[in-house]
Amino acid sequence: MLKLRPIVLLSSMICAQSTIADVDLNNITDDNPTHLTSIPLLQSLKINNKQLQFNAPYVHELKNRYKVRSLFVESKDLPMVDIQLTFNAGAARDEEIAPDLYGIANMAAKLIDEGTEKYNANEIASAFERVGAQFSAQAYRDMFVVKLRVLSDPKKLEPALGMMMEVLNHSTFKKSSINLVLSNTQVGQKQIQESPSRMMNVQFYRALYGKHPYAEPITGTQRSISKITAVQLKQFSDQFLVAQNLNIAITGQLTPKEALQLSERIAGNLKQGQKAKPLAQPLDKSTFDIRHLTFNSSQAHVTMGHLGTTRFDPDRLALEVANQMFGGSGFNSVLMKELRVKRGYTYGAYSSFSFSQVSGTFSFSYSTRQDQLLDSIQVAHQALVNFVKQPINQKQLEETKAGMLRAFPNNYSSNANINAQLGSIGFYNQAAGYLNDYPKLLEKMTAQDIQDAIRKHLHPERLTIIVVNEKLDKVALEAALNQNLLPDAPKLSAPSIEQIPNTIIAPAAKEVTDAPVSFPTDAPASI
């Protein structure tokens, strides 16, 4: 058996003097206003789809001897290395430690670099700072992500790598640190209760998921986080932050052989452990579920949606295209045209899909004036009904696909972006060549493919609707929604100029995706 090179913390780390690249001022040309060089430059940007080149980075699938999936992209431009360790240890695993104990993964992420058996928080921070390394940990619903960015020079990489492994293996989660995080988290949760859009999002996840692990906010609840102990945090770390529950992403100035050795050192110096068990599938609803949160606000906030599908669904790409068409592409989307452009009901309306290990969500949301709440919901719902029933607009489809193709290179525009993509590809078990295959798959997508996916996965007859405002006539709202479902329901048409409100309200607050259980009564979303 190959003997691993041990990872050793350097007792003394010497900062190398920073170097500043020389700039040759003689090569910088003066601006000449008589030569409008920008005009031919802009004309040169007139390219058609056939000229678009998508040079996705080549992804190496490293053969890690510990059977830990490891993906690598070589980048020679900068002497940097980005490492992402993605554990199947998100907030969905909280209750595997103790019932009703939400927020463990989030607290573990916040405390993991606050002290080990050998080093306190200041010493850990100083160790990373001395070599110019950036370390972070964050919990999501599905994932627990640890990131390290450091220079590829072994004199910098080695001590940073050593401290990362020290933190992962030996964090103590001291009581004093827990109290500090508890105090900060409670302040944040009070802010949620003062934000109608965030309250709405919490309630939406609770209504959709009931008792499923996705239901509760990632940060936990005030009651649950006050019960978290150092013993439970250590149990979480020992059970989930282990090699066999991990995938590794590496991007930077290394050779594939060096990247493989690095991945094996990481996997070999972690506790091996076991993979997390599969999550249960949530149960979907068959009818409307209308919930009202009373909130004294000048605007009404609305979100509508239902359970979506998983990251592994072959219809995922078609649904991404459908979402762009319905509510994800700004003024060109169906929602924006119906709610803002034609009627002036809102500043902005947006839809989104989340794709997770088990069924994620499909939702759309906006805010509007109190006096046009019911009309706006009926219009938004009718827009979804028509989107499902009517044929796909071929011109809009082509424009949407072209926009997605142009935007896709942003996913690998930097080492950090590439590494994040590798982490996601590894975690959700996608093919190593996904980045290269994406444009080809998108180009081949037909209107029939999109239509089939829409009719399979979008269900306007069983939406969960959360409204945050002063009062709501639920009976009238449900009657309007059912009217939209009738076969002879009138199609949407633009109102006359006289009907369009002359006031456009402020934009809706950005949706908070990291906050999801079920409340049977209408009450403020308490966490």
Side-chain angles (χ1 to χ4, degrees), residues 184-203:
N184 292 338
T185 304
Q186 286 175 335
V187 171
Q189 290 180 335
K190 178 176 275 190
Q191 293 173 343
I192 290 177
Q193 294 176 334
E194 297 171 353
S195 168
S197 61
R198 297 180 71 182
M199 287 171 56
M200 180 174 65
N201 197 58
V202 170
Q203 181 72 357

Side-chain angles (χ1 to χ4, degrees), residues 82 84 86 143 147 249 251 411 414-426:
D82 284 277
Q84 177 170 315
T86 309
M143 310 172 180
K147 294 183 179 181
T251 302
N411 289 289
S414 68
N415 284 9
N417 287 351
I418 293 171
N419 218 46
Q421 288 294 320
L422 297 186
S424 180
I425 290 170

Side-chain angles (χ1 to χ4, degrees), residues 344-419:
Y345 282 157
T346 183
Y347 185 88
Y350 309 95
S351 68
S352 65
F353 271 98
S354 70
F355 300 99
S356 310
Q357 291 187 85
V358 295
S359 296
T361 65
F362 164 70
S363 65
F364 51 103
S365 58
Y366 63 93
S367 59
T368 189
R369 292 202 321 245
Q370 302 278 1
D371 61 327
Q372 53 199 26
L373 172 63
L374 292 183
D375 288 342
S376 69
I377 294 178
Q378 186 170 19
V379 168
H381 180 247
Q382 185 66 63
L384 178 62
V385 172
N386 293 347
F387 188 66
V388 173
K389 288 183 177 180
Q390 296 172 1
I392 288 292
N393 182 307
Q394 187 65 40
K395 181 182 178 182
Q396 187 191 10
L397 173 59
E398 294 305 320
E399 290 174 350
T400 300
K401 288 168 58 176
M404 294 175 69
L405 283 170
R406 285 192 297 269
F408 188 68
N410 291 330
N411 289 289
Y412 46 83
S413 60
S414 68
N415 284 9
N417 287 351
I418 293 171
N419 218 46

